[in-house]
Amino acid sequence: MTESRAAIEKLHAELTGLGVTSAYEVGDDATLSVWIGLVVRFREGFYRWQEGPVKRRHLGTDPVGCAIRVARRYTELQADVPVWWEDLAKELRGGSVQDYP
């Protein structure tokens, strides 16, 4: 098992424990999609996530702390969907996307 895969699995488990059950691994052993536009990657010892144009990072030795930050942002996004989401959703899923994130 690679370091990236182990780190992503730990983060995924922590997010699930915090109630973020929609996250899934995208299949490259280093990327976790939490919500459309909110993606976490593990690289060079850091969890790095991008949400629209905003980029953040967190130490790879602290999956619990990272999960708390990502889960908090996930909850904020669910409560107040950002303007960029609709454009991104249409681009990724096609014009038929409705309210489903």
Side-chain angles (χ1 to χ4, degrees):
M1 179 180 298
T2 67
E3 178 187 14
S4 297
R5 181 180 179 103
I8 288 296
E9 285 182 0
K10 288 177 187 174
L11 179 63
H12 193 199
E14 293 297 334
L15 285 169
T16 300
L18 292 170
V20 180
T21 58
S22 61
Y24 61 92
E25 295 178 48
V26 298
D28 66 357
D29 291 343
T31 307
L32 189 67
S33 178
V34 180
W35 193 58
I36 191 166
L38 179 56
V39 177
V40 182
R41 291 178 180 85
F42 185 83
R43 183 171 43 106
E44 299 170 353
F46 286 94
Y47 290 106
R48 301 168 190 269
W49 70 91
Q50 183 168 347
E51 165 230 321
V54 178
K55 295 180 181 180
R56 303 269 189 252
R57 72 179 191 169
H58 194 91
L59 283 174
T61 57
D62 183 21
V64 174
C66 182
I68 290 169
R69 291 178 70 190
V70 171
R72 184 180 308 132
R73 186 60 187 142
Y74 171 81
T75 302
E76 291 169 355
L77 287 170
Q78 292 288 308
D80 186 22
V81 178
V83 176
W84 55 261
W85 182 85
E86 287 186 30
D87 293 334
L88 180 62
K90 285 179 184 174
E91 180 179 323
L92 294 175
R93 294 189 174 154
S96 64
V97 72
Q98 295 177 4
D99 293 332
Y100 184 75

